[in-house]
Amino acid sequence: MFFFIFHCSFMTAFAQTDKRTYDQFFMEAMVQRQKGNNDAAFDLLRHCQELNPDAPEVYFFLGQYYSLLKNPEKALECVKRAAALAPESEIYMETLAQTYVRQQDYASAIPVLEGIYARNKDREDMLEMLFQLYQQVDDYEQAIGVLNRMEANDGKSERLSLAKREIYTRMGDKKAAVAEMEALAKQYPHDFNYLAMYGESLMMNGQAKKALNLYHQVLKEEPDNNRVLMSLRTYYQSQGNKAVADSLAERVLLNKNATPEEKVHLLRQEIASSEVSGDSTRVLTLFRKMLAQPQAEVDMAFFCASYMSAKKMPKDSIRPVLEQVLKMAPDQASARLQLVGYAWEDEDLDRVITLCQDARQYNPDEMAFYYYQGIAYYKRDKLDDALSSFQNGIGVIADDSDPVIVSDFYAVMGDILHQKGLAEEAFAAYDSCLVWKDDNIGCLNNYAYYLSERGERLDTAEAMSFKTVKAEPKNATYLDTYAWILFMQKRYSEAKIYIDQALQHMGEDAPGNEVIIEHAGDIYALNKDLDRALSLWRDAQQKKPEDQLLQKKIKLKKYIKE
């Protein structure tokens, strides 16, 4: 909402009746504007312009509409007119300046902003804008002048002195750049960081000897002044004195006063250097020394583990670092997940379960831990524990959760529930799985097969199973499922085509082969090829000799439904 001011001096030329008419139309324009009826508001404002060509508020709002209409020239014309009619209005003048800036007419914006600040010295934001604009037009003298005005208001500060140094450097005035930092150091003689910054300016401007004297003066008072140590490192690097530069780098990294950000910045430089030389031993040595300190930082430990992973170092060397991360920060989910991954690769299911159980205390909303714990229990045939893990994990599923993981959650839950004889609950879990990922192939296969076993919704089962065969046309399990569903639909000749493919692609001695072979026998029997059926049933019997139903099929030489 915009506030506007009626300027009575412009209304004196109106007759009282004309003024009332203008007021009515203008207020109606504002009402329509508030309602979002911009076309009506625009037409009303143009009528107001005809009624009173000297009303600044009309031009102000018309300027906004012309801007929306992508007519910048007309918009600028209106805003300039409003500002000319009411130069005392900060709103109009500031809008005019902003319009100039949007059109990149910085030279025209500057005097407008200077006028606003001249009338209202509380508007320090105008000085900030002026500082930027004077740089845009390369008027560095005026930019320095603005900084001086800020300094007069707020006092000398690091921010302003650094800004001045940068401007003086652009101007090629090295002497002024150094003098500015010298003045800052003198203003705050007990802050050695400012003295260090003065030394940096001397170093940057070719006065290395004087800078070194200052650095040693600071280090005498503050041996761990990180700024000086970093500057000295840069200096000795430039001189090719690698031994001293490396020693200073190590001093910074082991310095308790250095911030994590400073350490990471320096480590990245060391890593970049090691990539050129192809030798990572120095970086690893630095990490080892940092992590050996009594107050080692968790960020450094995790950075070390990440670096070691990037260098493809052995898991056994990375694992202790990740465990150190967890000792310092048990809620570090990324480190724990990496350890879970290592345990999973090693098939150490007990370790997976323990790590995930601990994670549920520190990271109760991290779904991955419930997932891996549930899978580990499932592989251990601990169905109740697995089901509990998955059900707890469902409680932390959110709209932005990874659909792949959520889908697998429900898919494995469905498998467990089916094994426990809870078919309806299993089918509900499968339905949820497919809501999150409708092409979860494993779920589609199992869902379809279990439906076919019950003789339920065979058309739905056939459609689901066909998706799996299309996705993996050489997967014997999926081909068997599809063939069996066709068999259940009494489409025997089609079933024979797909069961032959399943027999062709099944792996030697793969789990479940006996089921595929028995199904093949059933399908051949109902395709009236009893000799082939008997041969297949006998092959299946070798793999499960105790199966009584299979024995009966062979004895009676016919297909028997379970």
Side-chain angles (χ1 to χ4, degrees):
M1 180 178 179
F2 291 89
F3 295 95
F4 54 89
I5 305 167
F6 285 105
H7 297 275
C8 296
S9 58
F10 295 110
M11 298 297 181
T12 53
F14 271 157
Q16 195 66 25
T17 302
D18 292 335
K19 183 179 183 308
R20 280 198 301 271
T21 302
Y22 169 83
D23 287 348
Q24 288 172 358
F25 276 101
F26 185 77
M27 290 304 298
E28 182 60 23
M30 294 299 99
V31 169
Q32 294 302 320
R33 177 186 174 83
Q34 286 294 101
K35 290 180 176 180
N37 299 328
N38 292 319
D39 290 344
F42 183 61
D43 289 340
L44 287 164
L45 285 168
R46 286 196 295 181
H47 185 58
C48 289
Q49 183 184 9
E50 294 172 358
L51 292 171
N52 184 4
D54 292 327
E57 61 272 11
V58 171
Y59 293 101
F60 177 70
F61 287 110
L62 280 174
Q64 295 174 28
Y65 281 116
Y66 281 119
S67 181
L68 290 173
L69 292 168
K70 309 297 183 187
N71 189 339
E73 294 81 9
K74 193 68 175 176
L76 177 60
E77 178 186 323
C78 286
V79 177
K80 285 173 69 174
R81 179 68 173 153
L85 289 168
E88 73 282 2
S89 168
E90 279 192 20
I91 293 176
Y92 297 166
M93 300 304 290
E94 191 170 348
T95 302
L96 176 59
Q98 290 169 349
T99 304
Y100 281 132
V101 170
R102 278 197 301 273
Q103 298 184 12
Q104 298 185 355
D105 186 357
Y106 306 126
S108 296
I110 286 171
V112 179
L113 294 171
E114 288 283 15
I116 295 172
Y117 183 71
R119 286 188 293 273
N120 184 357
K121 293 294 195 294
D122 291 332
R123 293 295 304 273
E124 290 197 21
D125 57 320
M126 295 296 104
L127 291 180
E128 296 286 354
M129 290 183 66
L130 283 166
F131 175 59
Q132 298 300 328
L133 293 179
Y134 279 125
Q135 291 181 82
Q136 288 287 345
V137 298
D138 296 329
D139 192 339
Y140 296 131
E141 293 286 353
Q142 287 292 351
I144 291 290
V146 172
L147 291 173
N148 286 333
R149 281 188 270 175
M150 292 182 183
E151 201 171 80
N153 292 339
D154 303 327
K156 189 171 283 294
S157 69
E158 177 181 340
R159 182 179 75 91
L160 294 177
S161 291
L162 287 173
K164 281 191 192 180
R165 183 179 74 176
E166 183 182 344
I167 298 297
Y168 282 131
T169 301
R170 285 193 217 165
M171 294 168 67
D173 192 344
K174 295 181 179 180
K175 186 176 179 180
V178 172
E180 179 58 38
M181 301 315 295
E182 182 181 17
L184 180 66
K186 287 180 177 179
Q187 180 86 11
Y188 302 100
H190 300 298
D191 192 326
F192 290 103
N193 277 326
Y194 291 147
L195 197 60
M197 290 164 66
Y198 173 34
E200 289 171 6
S201 296
L202 290 167
M203 189 69 76
M204 288 167 56
N205 289 288
Q207 301 182 54
K209 185 175 180 180
K210 192 172 181 180
L212 291 172
N213 287 335
L214 273 176
Y215 289 155
H216 292 307
Q217 179 184 337
V218 172
L219 291 178
K220 186 177 179 180
E221 299 294 331
E222 286 186 358
D224 291 332
N225 187 292
N226 202 52
R227 187 157 201 149
V228 168
L229 293 174
M230 288 290 286
S231 295
L232 281 171
R233 173 181 174 271
T234 302
Y235 169 73
Y236 284 111
Q237 278 183 322
S238 70
Q239 298 299 304
N241 194 332
K242 186 176 184 304
V244 175
D246 287 351
S247 174
L248 286 163
E250 185 172 323
R251 195 168 160 187
V252 170
L253 291 171
L254 300 180
N255 182 358
K256 64 180 184 300
N257 294 326
T259 66
E261 292 76 17
E262 289 171 331
K263 292 180 181 180
V264 168
H265 177 70
L266 181 51
L267 279 169
R268 291 194 187 283
Q269 291 181 359
E270 292 289 339
I271 290 170
S273 177
S274 74
E275 292 299 311
V276 174
S277 66
D279 182 8
S280 60
T281 54
R282 169 167 167 75
V283 175
L284 292 170
T285 299
L286 289 170
F287 272 124
R288 187 175 63 252
K289 289 183 177 181
M290 293 172 69
L291 298 182
Q293 290 186 294
Q295 301 298 322
E297 295 157 340
V298 65
D299 289 345
M300 292 302 107
F302 193 65
F303 190 7
C304 177
S306 299
Y307 176 73
M308 295 171 78
S309 296
K311 300 305 290 183
K312 302 188 184 309
M313 297 186 67
K315 290 183 295 183
D316 289 343
S317 63
I318 303 173
R319 188 181 287 112
V321 181
L322 292 169
E323 289 171 349
Q324 185 175 356
V325 170
L326 290 186
K327 284 181 182 178
M328 292 187 282
D331 61 345
Q332 231 293 352
S334 297
R336 193 179 297 275
L337 274 172
Q338 197 167 337
L339 284 170
V340 168
Y342 288 163
W344 191 266
E345 290 171 13
D346 295 340
E347 298 184 358
D348 188 349
L349 298 178
D350 291 336
R351 179 66 174 149
V352 171
I353 290 168
T354 300
L355 283 165
C356 292
Q357 187 62 42
D358 292 342
R360 289 170 60 174
Q361 176 183 351
Y362 297 105
N363 308 103
D365 296 329
E366 181 55 63
M367 188 173 58
F369 293 117
Y370 299 92
Y371 176 74
Y372 284 111
Q373 186 181 44
I375 294 291
Y377 276 131
Y378 185 49
K379 284 179 170 287
R380 280 272 187 257
D381 291 326
K382 295 183 176 181
L383 299 187
D384 290 335
D385 290 331
L387 188 59
S388 174
S389 295
F390 286 119
Q391 287 172 333
N392 286 324
I394 285 173
V396 301
I397 292 174
D399 290 341
D400 60 349
S401 294
D402 185 340
V404 175
I405 294 180
V406 178
S407 177
D408 282 346
F409 250 79
Y410 283 111
V412 182
M413 276 184 63
D415 294 344
I416 295 169
L417 289 163
H418 191 271
Q419 288 183 47
K420 291 173 68 67
L422 303 170
E424 296 305 322
E425 291 86 343
F427 294 161
Y430 289 145
D431 286 332
S432 296
C433 163
L434 297 175
V435 166
W436 281 88
K437 191 172 185 291
D438 61 5
D439 62 348
N440 188 311
I441 302 301
C443 172
L444 287 168
N445 177 74
N446 291 355
Y447 196 178
Y449 185 70
Y450 295 146
L451 283 172
S452 73
E453 281 190 320
R454 293 163 63 95
E456 296 179 3
R457 292 189 278 155
L458 292 177
D459 289 343
T460 300
E462 189 268 337
M464 289 193 293
S465 183
F466 182 71
K467 287 183 181 179
T468 71
V469 171
K470 191 173 181 182
E472 297 186 25
K474 295 183 179 181
N475 186 304
T477 300
Y478 298 166
L479 288 164
D480 170 63
T481 297
Y482 191 58
W484 188 248
I485 293 169
L486 294 173
F487 176 81
M488 294 296 291
Q489 291 177 315
K490 300 182 180 180
R491 295 159 64 181
Y492 303 127
S493 58
E494 292 176 73
K496 180 176 175 295
I497 294 170
Y498 285 95
I499 201 65
D500 282 344
Q501 292 180 45
L503 291 169
Q504 178 187 348
H505 293 296
M506 69 182 186
E508 188 175 349
D509 296 326
N513 279 1
E514 65 278 6
V515 175
I516 297 175
I517 296 169
E518 184 179 358
H519 282 169
D522 296 345
I523 292 169
Y524 268 92
L526 291 188
N527 272 287
K528 304 188 185 317
D529 188 344
L530 190 56
D531 289 340
R532 177 65 172 149
L534 285 168
S535 174
L536 289 162
W537 286 335
R538 290 187 182 110
D539 287 344
Q541 187 181 35
Q542 291 179 9
K543 297 178 181 294
K544 46 177 184 176
E546 305 302 322
D547 190 312
Q548 294 183 1
L549 180 63
L550 193 52
Q551 292 174 9
K552 189 179 291 187
K553 291 178 185 177
I554 296 170
K555 182 178 180 179
L556 298 177
K557 298 182 181 181
K558 68 175 183 178
Y559 166 69
I560 301 171
K561 187 176 181 180
E562 286 191 53

